[in-house]
Amino acid sequence: MPLLSARLRYGAAAQIFHWLTAILVVAAYILSPGGSEQRVYSSAADFNRQTHETLGTCVFALTLLRLLWRSIDRTPEDPPMKPWMMRSAKIVRVALYGLLIAIPVAATMGAFLEAHPLTLWAIGNIGPMFSPRHDVGQTVAEIHTTLGNVILWAAGLHAVAAL
Ligand code: HEM
């Protein structure tokens, strides 16, 4: 399969970006740490949380690379469908890109505002980079949790639209 997309078909690179993103998002979701802040940042939850943070940060980096790739690669034409279907599919696609950026950004900002570092495998602790505002951090962390659930619904809609 060619690396670049053709008029009617996505190329290998676009497909790899797509499926790697899907796998990483599902893995981050399955391993998402739940419960109180104390529990999430307890040493018992360290491995789970750090794995989740690493997977989520990979999603962020991959999305930036994917957007860069999209600016170089062509976007294949959509198959023939009703205009409302085409519009809805486009809205869901744009929403998914927005969520892939907003979820890791909200998570990292929430953690920093709560005075916690971001901890990545093989790298270790990063930050916090802002002075703490614990109340704001808690709200941003809750937004992260909500968006983390929304992306699964949006991905479900996107899969149904693709079918
Ligand atoms: C696309 C990537 C991500 C998805 C889908 C996702 C999803 C979620 C979900 C659904 C929860 C709530 C779990 C529950 O309450 O049962 C959660 C919690 C959490 N996530 Fe993520 N997450 C992602 C990326 C990240 C990143 C990059 C970080 C790095 C800081 C992170 C840090 C956390 C932390 C610390 C919690 C615990 C509570 C909170 O702060 O909301 N997540 N995540």
Side-chain angles (χ1 to χ4, degrees):
M1 181 189 293
L3 197 66
L4 289 166
S5 301
R7 191 170 68 84
L8 296 173
R9 198 177 157 75
Y10 281 103
Q15 293 203 28
I16 290 169
F17 274 123
H18 176 272
W19 288 109
L20 205 53
T21 305
I23 290 167
L24 287 172
V25 168
V26 171
Y29 185 84
I30 290 169
L31 292 171
S32 55
S36 66
E37 185 186 347
Q38 233 172 353
R39 187 179 176 283
V40 167
Y41 290 96
S42 66
S43 46
D46 266 354
F47 178 76
N48 191 9
R49 193 193 65 255
Q50 289 169 15
T51 307
H52 176 77
E53 293 184 357
T54 305
L55 292 169
T57 304
C58 288
V59 168
F60 181 68
L62 195 67
T63 304
L64 295 184
L65 284 175
R66 187 173 174 187
L67 287 171
L68 200 70
W69 181 255
R70 264 184 81 102
S71 69
I72 300 165
D73 197 15
R74 72 188 295 176
T75 305
E77 288 166 20
D78 283 318
M81 61 176 115
K82 296 205 170 79
W84 70 265
M85 278 177 125
M86 183 115 58
R87 220 171 308 124
S88 322
K90 197 170 178 183
I91 290 170
V92 173
R93 236 181 275 155
V94 172
L96 279 169
Y97 273 111
L99 287 165
L100 289 170
I101 298 286
I103 292 170
V105 168
T108 307
M109 284 180 64
F112 286 176
L113 288 164
E114 285 179 334
H116 301 296
L118 169 70
T119 312
L120 305 179
W121 285 349
I123 294 178
N125 286 350
I126 301 172
M129 291 179 187
F130 325 122
S131 24
R133 274 290 310 271
H134 197 265
D135 50 338
V136 182
Q138 270 180 324
T139 308
V140 177
E142 275 164 27
I143 293 173
H144 166 70
T145 295
T146 306
L147 297 181
N149 289 311
V150 168
I151 199 170
L152 271 244
W153 287 99
L157 273 177
H158 167 72
V160 169
L163 289 174

